[in-house]
């Protein structure tokens, strides 16, 4: 039997498989890593689609987490194909896959996955976690239910009550994280609060060019220690280390960033923008600015048009505009070191756009009423992100002309 030829993105077969929405992007997790969703309910009939073609050489360049909805499924792939897919996932994506959450896996396929754990590397096996219900998923991954297929929600609703196991670990069910005796968290002093609130905390409300001290600390640290780091902003630090540093900053305690991996600082910057109550760049601004010509065809008129729109959009929002100018000036410096860090303006735009531009209505309470609505939500999200990437890349490339 001949080996399937990897499909070109321009081929009808590739577009046909993509249209099935077998795998799609669905926002960011709490550490600002993209969430990919793989839905078994969207798997096609194996009699009409060669499943090997689904394993096309599509490379995921940034760190990410994968959520696999294993049930319900009208068509289930052969177990040998599952082992092949599992090994391919490990071989091709193990450097970037940070966690694999498998939901609603039946006993037979659980055995297959456990067998695959013995075949693949133990390091990859530690990334695999089984979950029994959507409630457990929501307690673990910040995934909006608007991206979850209706068939999965219906399946979960009809499940009988499940008693969590007494112990758990890698490749075991994750319990819902709740502790009735835990003290209520103190108000944050760094992340998840408005720029106005931070200015009040720092007694800088009247400062004309206010930039939060945390953002200044992170960016100045990255300027000194991170500009030559290959893949800066693409790689994630250890989750425990990131969480510890973030919690310390939220308590208002000092942190020496030089004592931590440079990826901690890079991730903290992404998380800061992601957790702002209001996105730094609105969807309306992206819509108002529209599409851009090719980078080498940007004219003075294009620059003036964008500057005029920005001035109107940020009227009365001096803090937001100040941090926008400061941040994109920094990204311009990152790009000037592209020969060493490999971060082009496009690469940076891909990484930061989901953190800077987001739908404020993206909540876990918005449950789609139909399968088509869930898929439409995913398609709309990607459309907004793609439009945003164009704007963010433009601002990086032309930061001196726009903000100068």
């Amino acid at each position: 039997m001949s080996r399937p030829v990897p499909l070109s993105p321009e081929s009808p077969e590739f577009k046909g498989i993509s249209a099935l929405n077998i795998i799609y992007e669905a926002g960011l997790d709490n550490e600002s890593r993209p969430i990919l969703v793989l839905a078994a309910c969207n798997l096609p009939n194996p009699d009409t689609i060669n499943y090997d073609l689904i394993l096309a050489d599509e490379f995921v360049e940034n760190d990410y987490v994968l959520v696999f909805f294993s049930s319900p499924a009208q068509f289930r792939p052969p177990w040998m194909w599952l082992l092949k897919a599992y090994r391919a996932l490990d071989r091709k994506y193990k450097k970037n896959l940070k966690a694999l959450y498998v939901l609603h896996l039946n006993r037979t396929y659980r055995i297959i996955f456990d067998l695959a754990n013995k075949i693949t590397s133990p390091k990859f096996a530690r990334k695999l976690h089984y979950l029994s219900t959507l409630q457990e998923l929501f307690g673990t991954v910040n995934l909006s239910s608007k991206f979850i297929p209706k068939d999965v929600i219906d399946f979960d609703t009809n499940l009988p009550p499940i008693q969590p196991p007494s112990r758990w670990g890698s490749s075991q069910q994750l319990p819902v994280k709740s502790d009735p005796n835990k003290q209520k968290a103190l108000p944050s002093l760094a992340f998840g609060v408005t720029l106005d609130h931070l200015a009040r905390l720092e007694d800088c409300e009247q400062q004309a060019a206010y930039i939060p001290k945390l953002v200044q600390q992170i960016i100045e640290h990255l300027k000194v220690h991170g500009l030559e780091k290959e893949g800066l902003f693409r790689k994630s630090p250890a989750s425990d280390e990131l969480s510890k540093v973030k919690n310390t900053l939220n308590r208002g305690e000092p942190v020496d960033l030089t004592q931590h991996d440079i990826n901690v600082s890079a991730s903290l910057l992404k998380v800061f923008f992601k957790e702002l109550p209001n996105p730094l760049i609105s969807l309306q601004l992206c819509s108002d600015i529209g599409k851009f010509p090719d980078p080498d065809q940007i004219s003075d008129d294009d620059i003036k048009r964008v500057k005029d729109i920005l001035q109107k959009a940020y009227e009365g929002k001096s803090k937001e505009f100040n941090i926008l100018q400061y941040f994109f000036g920094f990204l311009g410096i990152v790009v000037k070191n592209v020969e060493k860090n490999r971060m082009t303006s496009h690469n940076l735009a891909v990484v930061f756009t989901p953190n800077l531009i987001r739908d404020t209505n993206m909540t876990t309470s918005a449950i789609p009423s139909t399968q088509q609505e869930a898929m439409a939500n995913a398609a709309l999200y990607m459309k907004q992100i793609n439009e945003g990437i164009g704007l963010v890349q433009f601002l990086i490339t032309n930061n001196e002309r726009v903000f100068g």
Side-chain angles (χ1 to χ4, degrees):
M1 183 177 178
S2 61
R3 181 180 180 274
V5 178
L7 298 176
S8 164
E10 287 74 30
S11 69
E13 293 86 356
F14 183 96
K15 293 178 179 178
I17 291 175
S18 297
L20 296 171
N21 294 303
I22 300 170
I23 186 166
Y24 51 89
E25 192 168 334
L28 303 173
D29 74 349
N30 290 329
E31 297 180 28
S32 192
R33 301 174 299 198
I35 301 171
L36 297 184
V37 171
L38 174 61
C41 61
N42 295 332
L43 285 171
N45 187 337
D47 294 335
T48 60
I49 294 289
N50 183 350
Y51 274 23
D52 284 345
L53 296 178
I54 299 176
L55 297 179
D57 294 326
E58 186 177 349
F59 182 69
V60 180
E61 296 182 341
N62 301 322
D63 287 347
Y64 70 101
V65 298
L66 178 63
V67 176
F68 175 35
F69 295 121
S70 66
S71 296
Q74 182 179 0
F75 302 107
R76 292 193 179 275
W79 69 270
M80 282 298 293
W81 182 88
L82 271 182
L83 288 178
K84 182 192 296 185
Y86 197 95
R87 296 182 70 179
L89 185 67
D90 174 54
R91 183 175 62 253
K92 293 164 62 179
Y93 304 137
K94 64 182 177 182
K95 291 182 179 179
N96 301 97
L97 176 65
K98 295 305 175 182
L100 170 58
Y101 299 100
V102 181
L103 187 69
H104 301 147
L105 192 67
N106 63 35
R107 183 175 182 181
T108 301
Y109 281 86
R110 169 75 176 268
I111 293 173
I112 295 172
F113 269 59
D114 287 339
L115 174 62
N117 280 340
K118 298 179 181 179
I119 298 174
T120 58
S121 67
K123 184 181 293 187
F124 182 78
R126 288 195 293 270
K127 301 175 183 179
L128 173 64
H129 306 281
Y130 299 122
L131 299 97
S132 300
T133 66
L134 285 174
Q135 188 62 42
E136 291 181 6
L137 176 67
F138 293 149
T140 307
V141 182
N142 185 27
L143 175 65
S144 171
S145 59
K146 68 188 294 183
F147 295 125
I148 301 176
K150 184 176 184 298
D151 289 348
V152 174
I153 295 175
D154 291 343
F155 180 88
D156 186 85
T157 301
N158 294 323
L159 286 174
I162 298 176
Q163 180 67 33
S166 57
R167 66 183 184 89
W168 63 277
S170 177
S171 300
Q172 297 188 34
Q173 289 177 314
L174 298 177
V176 178
K177 300 176 182 178
S178 61
D179 183 358
N181 299 318
K182 187 176 181 179
Q183 293 182 348
K184 185 177 180 180
L186 295 174
S188 171
L189 300 178
F191 296 87
V193 295
T194 65
L195 297 178
D196 285 335
H197 183 71
L198 287 175
R200 286 195 295 272
L201 291 175
E202 298 174 14
D203 195 23
C204 296
E205 290 181 272
Q206 305 305 319
Q207 186 173 320
Y210 169 73
I211 303 295
K213 292 180 180 179
L214 171 62
V215 174
Q216 293 186 56
Q217 179 188 5
I218 294 172
I219 286 182
E220 295 307 314
H221 175 70
L222 290 171
K223 284 181 180 179
V224 176
H225 301 283
L227 291 180
E228 296 184 359
K229 170 70 174 179
E230 184 172 343
L232 182 67
F233 298 115
R234 277 184 169 174
K235 300 299 181 182
S236 300
S239 296
D240 291 344
E241 184 180 10
L242 177 63
S243 179
K244 180 180 179 180
V245 174
K246 181 186 175 187
N247 290 338
T248 301
L249 291 168
N250 269 339
R251 294 193 298 269
E253 299 174 10
V255 171
D256 184 356
L257 295 177
T258 62
Q259 301 302 308
H260 299 276
D261 184 86
I262 194 66
N263 292 319
V264 170
S265 296
S267 293
L268 286 172
L269 189 60
K270 291 188 291 183
V271 171
F272 176 85
F273 288 117
K274 173 181 176 291
E275 294 189 357
L276 283 175
N278 297 309
L280 193 61
I281 300 175
S282 68
L283 291 174
Q284 185 61 50
L285 177 59
C286 292
S287 177
D288 291 343
I289 292 179
K291 294 184 178 180
F292 295 94
D294 293 335
D296 57 353
Q297 297 179 355
I298 299 295
S299 66
D300 290 340
D301 288 340
D302 293 320
I303 298 295
K304 183 179 184 305
R305 181 177 68 88
V306 172
K307 291 179 70 170
D308 291 343
I309 295 175
L310 288 176
Q311 183 177 5
K312 181 179 180 181
Y314 289 93
E315 186 176 0
K317 300 178 180 179
S318 61
K319 296 181 180 63
E320 286 79 3
F321 186 80
N322 288 338
I323 197 172
L324 193 77
Q325 181 178 10
Y326 180 71
F327 173 63
F328 278 99
F330 165 65
L331 293 186
I333 296 174
V334 174
V335 172
K336 289 179 180 179
N337 292 267
V338 65
E339 291 187 2
K340 293 186 176 180
N341 60 42
R342 306 297 182 187
M343 295 303 291
T344 65
S345 60
H346 177 74
N347 292 340
L348 289 170
V350 169
V351 169
F352 275 103
T353 296
N355 299 282
L356 298 170
I357 305 171
R358 66 182 184 275
D359 183 357
T360 55
N361 294 321
M362 188 187 299
T363 64
T364 54
S365 61
I367 298 177
S369 59
T370 65
Q371 175 80 0
Q372 290 72 23
E373 183 179 344
M375 295 302 99
N377 288 335
L380 176 61
Y381 172 76
M382 289 310 302
K383 178 177 181 293
Q384 293 170 341
I385 291 300
N386 288 332
E387 290 177 349
I389 287 174
L391 173 58
V392 172
Q393 184 175 0
F394 174 89
L395 293 176
I396 295 172
T397 305
N398 301 280
N399 69 88
E400 294 179 355
R401 298 171 69 187
V402 172
F403 298 108

